Every structure is written in C-alpha cells, then in structure tokens.
Amino acid sequence: MRLIDETGAVVADDPPLPAPEVLLEGYRGLVFARRLNDQAGALVRQGRLAVYPSSHGQEACQVAAAAVLAETDWLFPTYRDVAAIAARGVDPLDVLVMLGGDWHCGYDPVATRVAPQATPLATQLPHAVGVGHAARLKGEDTVVMALCGDGATSEGDFHEALNFAAVFASPVVFLVQNNKYAISVPLARQSAAESLAAKGVGYGVPAVRVDGNDLAALIVVLTEAVARARRGEGPTLVEADTYRIQAHTNADDPSRYRTEAEVDEWRPRDPLLRMRAHLVATGVLTPEREAELAAAAEEMAAHVRAGMGRESAPDPAELFAHVYSTPTPQLREQAALLAAELNEVQA
Amino acid sequence: MIQALNRALHDAMAADDSVVVFGEDVGPLGGVFRVTDGLTAAFGEQRCFDTPLAESGIVGMAVGMAMNGMRPVVEMQFDAFAYPAFEQIVSHVAKLGNRTRGRVRLPMVIRVPYGGGIGGVEHHCDSSEAYYAHTPGLLVVTPATNTDAYGLLRAAIEHPDPVVFLEPKRQYFTREELDAGPVPPIGRSVVRREGRDATLIAYGPSVPVALAAAEHGAAEGRDLAVVDLRSIVPFDDETVTAAVRRTGRAVVVAEAPGFASVASEIAARVSERCFHYLEAPVRRVTGFDVPYPPPKLEQHHLPGVDRILDAVDDLQWEEA
C-alpha cells in the first residue's frame, strides 16, 4: 500500500491520510532519526561506538512503529532499530550504551516498555508473543510491536512466533523491515516466496505489504494492525518494502555485493524527502517550523556527542552483580579474586 | 515421583495466580508422563495449556511471559527434545537478567525429564546437565527423592531466577511418602549416608545407584558416605568439601559422558579444595563418551554398583 508517492503527491485517499499534525510529528521523528544515524556514524569513526547498524533510508518504518503505540504497549526492537527506540522516548544515550560497549543494554526494559535490542535474528519474536500472551491472561489490552528484518524471516523463531501468535490470537504486530539485504545476502537468496507478507497465509495471519518509505501509509497500516490486536483479533504481519542505503555496519563493504547504481535508484525514494515534499506542498511545514525542527535535532545530536564524549569506566564488580538475583558462592569468590587483582594493580 | 511433582505444580498454582504451566501435551493429556495431570481441569486452560509443537517457541514465549509478570513453568517433553530451544535457553533465558543489569528477572522453570535407564529410544535418554551448568545465569537442580522433587520444584517456581529442573525419568515411578519438612533452598547438598572410608558424590538418577553401591560396599567392609548434590548450580562446595575431607577418598558418579562433564568439574573442585586430605586421586565413574546407546546396550553404559565399587577399590587402599 502507498498513499504518498516519491514526489510527495497523494496517490490514494482510501484509507484517508493521517491528520496533518500526525504527519508533522512523524516528520519530526524522521528528522531526529536521520540526525541520530548521522551522529552515530560519526561516533563510530571517532571510535566512540564499537559498531553502528545504520537505518538511513528506512527511518519511516521505525518512526511509525513507535508512533502508533500507546504508552503501555511494548516495542521489541532489533539492533538496527536505534531510531525506533529513541522515537519511543528512550534517551539516545541510553540506547547507545550497548553499541558503545559499556553494557549489553542501557535502559530499563520494563519502565520504558522497550525490550533489549536483539542481536541474534528473530529470537525476540517469541518473547514478544509471550509478553502479549501474558497481557491477555492478565486482562490488559497491551499490544506488542515486534520488529525484524528480511533475513530474520528465514529463522525458525520467526515461524514459531507467527504460529504461536496466530494460535493464541496474541496481540502482536510483526513488522518486517524488508531492506533487501541480510548483510550481503539479497532477498532472492533469502526467500523464494512472492513476498514476505505471503508467509502470513500459512499461519492464518492477515498480512499487509506497505511502501516502507511512505510514512503516511505505514502509520495507517500499523495503526489498524495495533487496533486489531487491541480488539483481541490477533496478530498481523506487515511487510514494509524499504532499502538500506548505507552499509550493514561500519565493518561491511557493500561494494562486494551490490552496485552503486542500485543504491542510486533508491535515493529519490527517501522517506524523509518524500514527507517533507508533501508537508511543504500542503503548507503544513513552514520554513520556521523546519528551522525549529532542525535546531531541536541539533540539540539532540549535541547531547549525544557530549554524553558519548565522556570517558566511561564501567565498574568491574558489575561483572558478577547481575548474573543471578543473588550471586552464587562461586561468583562471590571470583568477585573477590578480581577485586584483589585490581587492588594490587592500584597499589 | 510423578505424584510429588504433580502436587508441587498443583500447590504452586493454587498459591500464586501468576504461575502458568504449558508445553506439548501438558493439558488434557496431563503430559506424556502425567506430571501435569489434572492441572487444566483444576485451574483452567488459561493456566495449563498445550502449545504448538515447537520448543524454541515454548521457551521463548515463557521468556516474554516472565518479562510481563508471570511465572511460567514449561515442559520439554524429553531431554534431547529441548535442544531446539537451546538458543533461547543459553542466549536469552540465561542472559536477560544480566543484560538488563537486573532490571528484568526471569522467574521461570524449564522442566526436563532427563537421563536413561528406562529403555527409551534414541533422543529420549540424554543427560544434558553439562550444557546448562556451563551456562552462567541458569540454576540447575535435579532431585533424587520424592520429597526433594516436591520441595525443589516449589523452590524453583518461587525463585526469581530461571531454573532448569532436571527430572530423573528413572525415578519417576518410585513410590515413597513425602516428608512434610521445610522446602530445601536451592544450592544445598545433603549427605544421604555417612561413612568413613570414601565419599560417593552423585546427583539425580545416580543417587540411588550410589546408595546401592554403599549398601553392597558395607557388606564388603567398605564404609561409604553418599552426598546427593540436589543442586548442580549453585554448587555446594561446603557440603562436598566437608564430606570428602572426612573420608580422604572420593568417587564421583554420574551417567552423563564423563569428558568435559559435571563429574569432571566436581572432581577438579574436590582436588583443589581437599588436596591435602586426599589419600588418592578423585575417581569419576560416568557413562562412556558415546551417544546414548540403544535400550539393549544401556546397561553397559550406565554406571552400576560393580563399576562404582571397582573404582572404590582402586583408591589405593593401604591394605591392597
């Protein structure tokens, strides 16, 4: 489904577009997400982040995923969904803790209702089903938004999660960001299916294919999927057709597996440029508002730079603190050993 | 033991609404071993339910339910059928508390009917404890008596951390009255039999074998102590060390393949802690390093009384 084309023109009016203020807020999210990607890329080059998987080009999926959720809903992100977590309201500095190497997760998943970023593919999807199933048993109307990429659709856990969610009518929205590559492996080698959405048929899960660079269409589709889940009608599979413009991470060399011409084909379909064109044409985005957004995004980037610029020194004692709710005798011995070693070094 | 486990599940579900039981065939059928018998009838299908046949999905769903305030108890139908869930267990069940600096705790129990000696076909008799014990973040317990089966399962369900609960299939059909004593805390081993000459260290299905060996040993003039670990993780060094120091000799008994095993770990720990008390090297009597054998060969694989007593004889007795 597509509502707004690459020039910003409205190409469909059924279902109707989201309200202008919703789109403007979404655009703000895109500007912040793009700025965060750029800033994180710079931090990788400065050695402040160990790694960063860019979501440049697919920000609309992530912004929409966060935008359609209520405060009590849950988001299950992957490692590439930093922008989605930040759009959910988590301080980007806390999101970047994992990629910065201080700890494996820098925010409180329960307080933020954002699961830790998953690095193995698809393993978070059964967790999402469990959170949703528990919510139903407890009589809550919580919905879970579970993100994954095209590569994850080949994993067993993707299939088990869809099947479980369908059988239990779990309130889960599965959003597949089909960005065409799993590191270097193209979609054609990932799946022989007509589309990734087609996989929903086998599980009895309604599926929708949406232009993943069209923020308006994404918001409409995901809003309905969330509403459906909240009504107790079960999961929806959404395939967002998008493209990863940049390398998988800083360690990747995309010239080995795709042509620059292919990337160039996707550049004009940029979700940010498209929404900007639409909002400017409809008079919603004035130069003043645009300047305000840019300034706010710069402020966020400066906050990230300042935070990541500080030398951090995680406490070695923390190695043993969280393995169990109470350290075992063996861990207490090992903690004492490390403390003694550190004291010796200091002395 | 089946009735003890069933009663533990029943009592835990009655005591706490957040306890839910699910897995393959655990609902109306009551589990292939009937450990969950009657739970759906008593508590409804919201509290005890069948899932699609997918172990990774079962454990993964339990992770999410525990994240959202429930206490799932899941059944892996047989030891080797748990391996499709291995990634969920080692990458997520074990690590989520640590990843989140303790903000997310997973109070969940993974019940695994394990071990051999029942004439089971392939993939029904593995001893998988070393995989779990090797993974930081998991608690690993295995009862040897019906009283412990009840108490340890109650303790496991109440524990804030994830517990791999290994149920020795060989003891499923033993009948003995439950002692109505206090629930043993996870992490405490127990001396099942005092003795002066050597200490047999065993857990789960090997405890009755070790006790039988001690009986036979007594007839041959060997006074053997038997320690039942009950908990593999955390490991009760205190009880084991004290027992071995009293006897100066030790044999570890376990039916899992011995190489890189829990038995190896125990032998190493005992050697480190009791070196000056030991009269002989610590011996291991374990299963062979072979895939679990077909039913007609398993009696050759499993440590039996004779093999244990031969090892005891090998502990360089002065009179020998």
Side-chain angles (χ1 to χ4, degrees), chain A residues 87-110:
Chain A
R88 180 96 175 113
V90 180
D91 187 324
L93 279 176
D94 295 339
V95 190
L96 293 174
V97 162
M98 182 183 93
L99 299 166
D102 281 37
W103 201 259
H104 300 306
C105 176
Y107 49 87
D108 182 338
V110 177

Side-chain angles (χ1 to χ4, degrees), chain B residues 54-67:
Chain B
E55 289 78 10
S56 188
I58 292 168
V59 174
M61 185 161 100
V63 169
M65 291 178 74
M67 283 177 80

Side-chain angles (χ1 to χ4, degrees), chain A residues 103 127 138 157 160 330 333, chain B residues 56-57 68 88 98 235 273:
Chain A
W103 201 259
H127 306 171
K138 288 157 67 179
D157 273 355
E160 297 192 19
Q330 289 74 31
E333 277 176 24
Chain B
S56 188
N68 200 4
Q88 284 292 342
N98 189 61
F235 189 79
R273 285 162 184 268

